[in-house]
Amino acid sequence: AQSVTQLDSHVSVSEGTPVLLRCNYSSSYSPSLFWYVQHPNKGLQLLLKYTSAATLVKGINGFEAEFKKSETSFHLTKPSAHMSDAAEYFCVVSDFNAGGTSYGKLTFGQGTILTVHP
Amino acid sequence: DTEVTQTPKHLVMGMTNKKSLKCEQHMGHRAMYWYKQKAKKPPELMFVYSYEKLSINESVPSRFSPECPNSSLLNLHLHALQPEDSALYLCASSRRTSGVYNEQFFGPGTRLTVL
């Protein structure tokens, strides 16, 4: 079984300051982990993914995340927030490394809403 | 072409209507997914098609009927829906490589309102 916990339901930052969105996961297998972003009334866009290669993963729009197995964490960071970063962010774990008939099922965290103030 | 398209963007229907949602991708992905997303919640998986065969049905009511006519197209037929079925319906697709399903790419969604 797998699960994802996003530790903050809301994060508020000022434009130009760092962003930290926290995510802890639980997985019976070597997990694949993702961060997706969703702007209001839009679909989900893949920001970055971890699939057992480098533990520091760089994504689009200046975001990056570090996989820490000992802490079962996959926190998302960005050095300097931009107004356009305001959105909801989902941390997601997949069991597609588990083999069998998982069909790439995703387990979503509850989401973190990021607000960016001018 | 690296996108998943969905039509219509918005749909309003009565409880006795029959309508369909359409999803299309031309990335050669052989897995396609339907999700339902209620406000302020993460997406919930409804159906998975793998190589045009229904592989997962997450106990979805029969008033939702999926169809995968070919490897690029996924439909969701709607009949006798309830107001609580109002939601954003998302389609996604993924590539399968050496038996492993890779990351999913999502469409923009259809905003469904049931009156």
Side-chain angles (χ1 to χ4, degrees):
Chain A
Q2 55 192 18
S3 65
V4 178
T5 302
Q6 291 183 240
L7 298 167
D8 306 290
S9 58
H10 290 82
V11 170
S12 181
V13 301
S14 297
E15 191 175 21
T17 64
V19 175
L20 170 64
L21 305 184
R22 299 183 294 164
C23 172
N24 283 44
Y25 70 91
S26 170
S27 176
S28 303
Y29 303 93
S30 295
S32 289
L33 292 157
F34 310 89
W35 277 98
Y36 283 87
V37 61
Q38 186 175 32
H39 288 89
N41 295 309
K42 301 289 187 184
L44 278 73
Q45 181 183 20
L46 181 66
L47 275 179
L48 49 79
K49 63 178 181 179
Y50 166 78
T51 54
S52 74
T55 56
L56 183 61
V57 181
K58 293 190 184 300
I60 61 172
N61 301 334
F63 285 95
E64 63 181 38
E66 186 171 8
F67 173 73
K68 291 187 177 181
K69 186 175 181 179
S70 60
E71 298 176 11
T72 61
S73 69
F74 190 58
H75 301 335
L76 181 70
T77 60
K78 182 173 180 178
S80 176
H82 191 273
M83 295 296 290
S84 60
D85 294 328
E88 187 161 22
Y89 292 78
F90 291 100
C91 181
V92 182
V93 62
S94 172
D95 66 353
F96 62 60
N97 286 325
T101 55
S102 64
Y103 300 105
K105 281 184 70 171
L106 302 180
T107 299
F108 287 81
Q110 289 301 302
T112 298
I113 295 173
L114 175 65
T115 302
V116 182
H117 298 286
Chain B
D1 189 351
T2 58
E3 67 172 347
V4 177
T5 59
Q6 289 187 245
T7 54
K9 289 190 190 324
H10 301 275
L11 178 62
V12 179
M13 60 186 292
M15 289 190 283
T16 58
N17 292 158
K18 286 186 181 181
K19 297 286 185 183
S20 297
L21 310 184
K22 178 181 172 181
C23 171
E24 200 160 8
Q25 56 89 15
H26 295 287
M27 295 179 278
H29 293 173
R30 301 308 294 273
M32 296 186 76
Y33 308 78
W34 279 116
Y35 289 86
K36 174 183 178 180
Q37 186 179 25
K38 300 286 276 185
K40 303 189 186 304
K41 295 289 187 182
E44 297 174 7
L45 182 66
M46 300 174 72
F47 302 103
V48 180
Y49 273 84
S50 179
Y51 290 87
E52 295 87 70
K53 291 185 179 178
L54 183 62
S55 303
I56 294 179
N57 176 342
E58 294 283 37
S59 303
V60 178
S62 60
R63 57 186 184 269
F64 295 91
S65 175
E67 179 196 20
C68 190
N70 59 58
S71 60
S72 300
L73 189 56
L74 186 66
N75 297 318
L76 185 62
H77 302 297
L78 313 173
H79 173 54
L81 294 192
Q82 304 296 310
E84 59 265 29
D85 296 322
S86 299
L88 182 67
Y89 287 83
L90 295 163
C91 174
S93 70
S94 72
R95 183 179 304 280
R96 187 178 178 189
T97 307
S98 301
V100 174
Y101 292 83
N102 297 304
E103 66 272 20
Q104 293 182 23
F105 292 86
F106 285 80
T110 293
R111 173 69 62 188
L112 174 67
T113 303
V114 182
L115 301 177

